[in-house]
């Protein structure tokens, strides 16, 4: 389960910051112009989260990283909740977009899935953020517009287009969380999955009874031998994405069959 969520800060202030309106402009101060900016704070927050995780990101630690006092930081961003939304939108705005491998909608949507997976791989802390209340900033809106383009003109209505995109992105997020959990398990145990299974093989062989659970023993052994672990995130992503897209093929085909043809001319 995600331990953080977007949209947790003050909505009005968050939207002002996302769209860079009504930014604080310190006045009445003598001396050089301030070198700090909202953009610099966002970049610093992303870097800190990438290095230490989102739980480690605090306004005080970020202020130290930016060589300013915590109170100075608060004059630009009200708190961590608003900062997380700014960080998310900043990543969305800078997402790399690969060229699809084909010309059809399936190739376009596959590219969208790979783009989002790559974003999660570069910023592992994203898997711990729930975006049910997404940051409605320029980065997100541009991302949504671009990704909907993969489904435009293929016969789906607007609600179905949104649902299909949500379906694909939800799959990507679920595999990203599983991958992040596997990475955390390896880090905390100081063992690779293969090392963990090897160390626990004698115990597991006493627990798992092929006579009592023949399918579990056979299939589990085959999968473990194939992947060297209970989960291979790369295989899970590629296998699952193909099945997700196969499901959408059925939807698009069904919509095409229901689409009315041109009206018949009277004899």
């Amino acid at each position: 389960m995600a331990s953080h969520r977007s949209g947790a800060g003050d909505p009005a202030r968050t939207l002002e910051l996302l769209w860079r309106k009504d930014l604080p402009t310190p006045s009445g101060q003598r001396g050089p112009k301030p070198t700090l900016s909202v953009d610099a704070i966002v970049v610093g927050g992303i870097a800190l989260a990438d290095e230490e995780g989102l739980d480690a990101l605090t306004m005080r630690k970020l202020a130290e990283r930016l060589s300013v006092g915590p109170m100075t930081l608060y004059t630009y961003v009200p708190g961590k909740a608003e900062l997380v939304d700014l960080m998310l939108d900043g990543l969305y705005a800078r997402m790399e977009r690969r060229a699809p491998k084909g010309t059809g909608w399936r190739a376009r949507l596959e590219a969208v899935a790979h783009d989002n997976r790559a974003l999660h791989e570069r910023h592992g802390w994203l898997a711990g953020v729930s975006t049910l209340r997404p940051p409605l900033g320029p980065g997100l809106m541009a991302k949504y517009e671009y990704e909907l383009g993969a489904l435009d003109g293929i016969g789906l209505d607007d609600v179905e287009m949104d649902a299909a995109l949500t379906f694909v992105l939800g799959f990507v997020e679920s595999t990203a969380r599983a991958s992040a959990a596997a990475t955390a398990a390896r880090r905390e145990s100081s063992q690779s999955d293969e090392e963990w299974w090897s160390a626990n093989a004698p115990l597991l062989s006493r627990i798992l009874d092929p006579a009592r659970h023949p399918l579990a023993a056979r299939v589990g052994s085959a999968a473990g031998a194939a992947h060297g672990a209970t989960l291979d995130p790369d295989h899970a992503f590629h296998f699952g994405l193909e099945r997700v897209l196969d499901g959408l093929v059925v939807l698009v085909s069904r919509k095409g069959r229901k689409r009315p043809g041109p009206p018949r001319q009277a004899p």
Side-chain angles (χ1 to χ4, degrees):
M1 181 179 294
S3 56
H4 300 271
R5 67 179 179 88
S6 59
D10 176 79
R13 188 64 182 131
T14 299
L15 285 173
E16 290 171 353
L17 288 166
L18 284 168
W19 293 91
R20 299 298 192 268
K21 294 181 179 180
D22 298 330
L23 297 182
T25 52
S27 59
Q29 298 180 358
R30 297 183 178 181
K33 286 183 64 176
T35 57
L36 194 61
S37 67
V38 173
D39 288 336
I41 293 170
V42 171
V43 170
I46 291 171
L48 184 52
D50 286 348
E51 294 170 11
E52 302 184 34
L54 198 56
D55 287 336
L57 173 63
T58 65
M59 298 296 279
R60 179 173 296 278
K61 183 175 287 189
L62 180 57
E64 293 175 357
R65 186 186 189 96
L66 297 172
S67 301
V68 298
M71 295 311 298
T72 299
L73 211 58
Y74 283 112
T75 63
Y76 290 86
V77 179
K80 181 175 178 177
E82 292 82 3
L83 176 59
V84 168
D85 281 355
L86 290 167
M87 291 162 56
L88 287 171
D89 201 67
L91 292 180
Y92 296 154
R94 298 195 297 272
M95 275 186 70
E96 295 181 9
R97 295 171 179 169
R98 70 190 65 203
K101 294 182 179 179
T103 57
W105 68 264
R106 181 168 180 146
R108 296 194 299 268
L109 205 53
E110 183 178 19
V112 166
H114 279 278
D115 290 344
N116 280 272
R117 187 192 187 206
L119 184 69
H120 277 276
E121 289 179 337
R122 286 192 295 269
H123 309 282
W125 53 272
L126 283 175
V129 182
S130 168
T131 54
L132 290 176
R133 294 181 178 178
L136 300 178
L140 174 69
M141 297 310 297
K143 177 179 184 290
Y144 186 50
E145 178 78 14
Y146 170 76
E147 292 173 348
L148 284 173
L151 295 158
D152 192 27
I154 66 173
L156 303 183
D157 62 35
D158 289 350
V159 175
E160 289 169 334
M161 287 173 61
D162 177 80
L165 180 59
T166 300
F167 181 41
V168 173
L169 298 185
F171 164 74
V172 175
E173 290 171 6
S174 69
T175 56
R177 290 192 180 99
S179 180
T183 299
R186 289 193 295 270
R187 183 173 59 248
E188 292 167 6
S189 66
S190 299
Q191 290 179 309
S192 67
D193 290 334
E194 189 173 4
E195 291 169 339
W196 187 90
W197 281 106
S198 296
N200 290 278
L203 174 62
L204 294 171
S205 65
R206 293 199 302 269
I207 294 174
L208 299 178
D209 183 0
R212 186 175 182 183
H213 305 290
L215 279 176
R218 190 188 79 219
V219 175
S221 296
H227 306 313
T230 54
L231 173 70
D232 178 347
D234 193 56
H235 176 268
F237 174 80
H238 287 93
F239 179 87
L241 179 59
E242 287 299 306
R243 306 295 76 77
V244 166
L245 296 176
D246 288 345
L248 291 178
V249 166
V250 175
L251 173 64
V252 174
S253 298
R254 184 183 302 144
K255 295 288 291 187
R257 289 195 298 269
K258 291 182 178 180
R259 194 177 305 147
R264 295 179 61 184
Q265 298 293 327

